[in-house]
Amino acid sequence: MLRFAPSPTEDMHIGNLRVAIFNYIVSKQLNEDLIIRIEDTDVERNIEGKDKEVLEILNLFSIEYKSVMYQSDSLKYHQKMALQLMTQKKAYACFCSDTKLDELKEESIKDGKTFRYDGFCETLSDETVLNTNAPFTVRIKKPEHNIKFTDLLKGNFDYTPFDVDSFIILRQDKTPTYNYACAVDDMIMDISIIIRSEDHVSNTPKQIHIRESLGYTKEIKYVHLPVILDALTGENDVSSVKWLIDEGFLPSAIANYLVLIGNKTPTEIFSLEEAIEWFKIENISSSAVKFDIDKLRFINKKHLETIDDMRLSKILGFADADIGKLAKNFLEEVNTIKEIKEKIALIFAPKTSLAGFEEECLKLKECLKTAPFFDDFEELKKYITEKTSLKEQLTKPLKYVLTGANDGVNISDIYPLIKNYLGEIIK
């Protein structure tokens, strides 16, 4: 079993999507189920509707999954297992206030030391705990041995008990903290391999410690993916997936690019279905990768060139394969759906007049409004010339009247694709 575990606290960004895609590919390769787990236990940070948005994006990218679960639905299991840990003296009630903990942290900073809980409440007697009415958190005791694990990309890790520390697993309101809920859920769901971002590396020993303390011995394999950096700034790139879609990038192209970067692939342009056949998670670079929007534009153009004409037409808001063919005529100039829409919108928009050709444009409009239907563009030109006497002064104003532009594609190339729409175009 694999899982993709987004949090409904922000927009889904390209790093999240890359994690989801890799989980999907590996689940297909291993013939194991993929579960979507919405990690919603941090109620104060949750944003209404973000969970639905995540699922819509996954569906848009054709990422198949068995089911969706919400972490908050497992609260009773989180609390039950925390009680088990306390009963077994592997966890304890901590009455230290936030103010006291902040003081301890400030002291550590002044001394130039890494803050670690001093273990004061671990030594409290059962009687003291029973007679204390103050609110408390629950802390797990630090491990008695080093926590070791192997990452399939980054190699071996070895954390000391000091590194892991005695950390909080239940907040004062008895809701689980991130690491505790994550560890328990991975155990309950019988997860076999965890693929996630490298910023979770330091969480891994804590989660292993929790499961070991609960007596869970199954070894989980780990892959911590490197961060994606902006190619221009070199900073962590958190570009929103929704923004990329709104900008006119195809899901197939975005997925192609996210699998391509930092990877060894047999070809540059491919589909997710094709990637499943040859993808190897161990071939992913262990170093940070750069997100280059210009490279994505190139890949997007390649996907637009091969997309089915009718499907492209529907994406553009039509249901005519000719419109799909028309769109592909603009790929010498543009790279995205948004840019193609702008070109097509010019064709159907009311035209005023082209500077320097005002009289010619007026004649052409009047002529075209009453012209019979011509299947052949040369026949149309012949008719216009006869009716308007325009010859040398015909090409530029005619291109403007039919396309809304005075450069770009040849009218003879696109006329067969727009001839059925002349009534809408000539306004």
Side-chain angles (χ1 to χ4, degrees), residues 188-206:
I188 292 173
M189 295 166 64
D190 196 29
I191 298 300
S192 57
I193 178 170
I194 293 175
I195 303 173
R196 59 186 178 186
S197 173
E198 69 178 0
D199 53 5
H200 287 288
V201 168
S202 61
N203 292 326
T204 299
K206 295 183 177 183

Side-chain angles (χ1 to χ4, degrees), residues 171-312:
R171 304 181 184 95
Q172 287 186 356
D173 63 0
K174 304 308 172 283
T175 58
T177 56
Y178 168 76
N179 277 313
Y180 179 62
C182 187
V184 170
D185 290 342
D186 287 338
M187 182 176 70
I188 292 173
M189 295 166 64
D190 196 29
I191 298 300
S192 57
I193 178 170
I194 293 175
I195 303 173
R196 59 186 178 186
S197 173
E198 69 178 0
D199 53 5
H200 287 288
V201 168
S202 61
N203 292 326
T204 299
K206 295 183 177 183
Q207 293 169 15
I208 292 174
H209 174 47
I210 290 166
R211 288 194 295 271
E212 287 183 346
S213 298
L214 288 166
Y216 190 75
T217 57
K218 175 179 175 177
E219 182 182 359
I220 296 177
K221 294 179 181 179
Y222 287 94
V223 179
H224 289 94
L225 300 173
V227 296
I228 300 176
L229 304 177
D230 185 285
L232 295 177
T233 66
E235 297 179 355
N236 193 3
D237 195 316
V238 290
S239 295
S240 161
V241 177
K242 188 174 181 296
W243 177 80
L244 288 175
I245 297 296
D246 290 343
E247 284 298 299
F249 291 98
L250 294 171
S252 61
I254 298 171
N256 182 160
Y257 184 56
L258 291 178
V259 174
L260 178 70
I261 52 176
N263 196 3
K264 299 173 184 176
T265 63
T267 183
E268 188 173 48
I269 307 301
F270 50 82
S271 66
L272 269 187
E273 290 71 22
E274 291 168 335
I276 291 170
E277 298 300 316
W278 47 254
F279 181 85
K280 292 182 179 179
I281 194 75
E282 57 268 27
N283 285 344
I284 300 298
S285 170
S286 60
S287 303
V289 293
K290 292 184 177 180
F291 186 84
D292 185 343
I293 194 73
D294 289 332
K295 183 65 175 181
L296 177 58
R297 288 174 64 84
F298 167 78
I299 290 175
N300 200 65
K301 177 184 286 190
K302 291 298 181 183
H303 279 260
L304 284 169
E305 288 173 352
T306 59
I307 193 172
D308 177 76
D309 293 332
M310 180 59 82
R311 184 181 169 208
L312 178 54

Side-chain angles (χ1 to χ4, degrees), residues 141-154:
K141 291 184 178 180
K142 69 177 63 173
E144 297 177 352
H145 58 273
N146 285 16
I147 302 294
K148 302 178 181 181
F149 67 93
T150 299
D151 183 278
L152 296 182
L153 292 183
K154 299 178 177 295

Side-chain angles (χ1 to χ4, degrees), residues 378-408:
E378 292 303 319
E379 289 295 318
L380 175 66
K381 276 182 66 177
K382 181 180 178 183
Y383 173 82
I384 293 173
T385 302
E386 291 175 353
K387 291 293 183 181
T388 64
S389 299
L390 294 174
K391 294 180 180 179
E392 292 82 3
Q393 298 294 310
L394 175 62
T395 303
K396 275 195 174 182
L398 181 58
K399 176 175 280 192
Y400 173 75
V401 169
L402 292 181
T403 69
N406 57 7
D407 55 12

Side-chain angles (χ1 to χ4, degrees), residues 2-8 34-40 55 67-72 74 78 178 181-189 191 194 196 207:
L2 286 84
R3 50 76 159 177
F4 172 57
S7 172
L34 174 63
I35 300 292
I36 308 302
R37 186 172 75 213
I38 308 295
E39 301 198 327
D40 61 341
L55 297 178
S67 61
V68 178
M69 68 159 287
Y70 286 78
Q71 199 165 57
S72 55
S74 298
H78 301 146
Y178 168 76
C182 187
V184 170
D185 290 342
D186 287 338
M187 182 176 70
I188 292 173
M189 295 166 64
I191 298 300
I194 293 175
R196 59 186 178 186
Q207 293 169 15

